Amino acid sequence: MANNSTNVVLERLATRLPSLYDVDQDARLVVNDLFSEDATFEDPLMTVQGQSNIHAQFASLRKIFRNIAVDVHHVEYYHGGFSTHANVTYTFAVIPFRVDIRCMIICLVRDGKIYLHTEHWDVRSLISSIPLVGRLYNAVFRPSMGYLSSMAIKGLMAIRGGKPKILKRS
């Protein structure tokens, strides 16, 4: 990181970031504190731009989930931003069901505010936390996909004489 004041800003943002998911916090206040007015929020399902749209996304979580627990495992700081590795547990408000997701969040910072927040979710952890579906996914789907993809690759290699063909540009 560039200097001490930059370090302090990045550490403050990274420390405050989990409060975005806290259902007891005012989403608008947290978003206004952390994000620039024209910031972009992205996750595997969508992308939105602007504080009001980011606020809407996090405010909606407070309607769907009774509790969201963020367990931060690691924060890495670098020039112009930080990344956070965490497990996030979402407990639904109406049904007694929870979803655990491993997540990496990358935040780019300019002028003391986040201007790009990108979430990367681990699909395996998401599907595995769904009752019955998770069991089938881990016991049947993943091993079957591994077997089928290995057989397909081995079949393609056999057709090509066991060596991968390198395509050359003309």
Side-chain angles (χ1 to χ4, degrees), residues 18-33:
S19 64
L20 260 177
Y21 305 86
D22 186 341
V23 298
D24 296 324
Q25 295 279 325
D26 182 327
R28 186 174 309 281
L29 292 176
V30 177
V31 168
N32 290 345
D33 181 41

Side-chain angles (χ1 to χ4, degrees), residues 124 126-146:
R124 178 180 170 193
L126 174 62
I127 295 172
S128 294
S129 67
I130 301 170
L132 189 57
V133 172
R135 289 188 103 145
L136 289 171
Y137 175 73
N138 286 312
V140 177
F141 180 78
R142 291 186 69 234
S144 297
M145 286 304 294

Side-chain angles (χ1 to χ4, degrees), residues 46-75:
M46 56 84 197
T47 183
V48 296
Q49 187 168 11
Q51 283 182 343
S52 66
N53 293 321
I54 295 169
H55 165 259
Q57 296 301 315
F58 284 95
S60 70
L61 294 178
R62 285 146 173 79
K63 303 292 184 197
I64 300 168
F65 301 103
R66 173 174 27 123
N67 186 49
I68 303 171
V70 179
D71 182 15
V72 175
H73 295 285
H74 177 72
V75 178

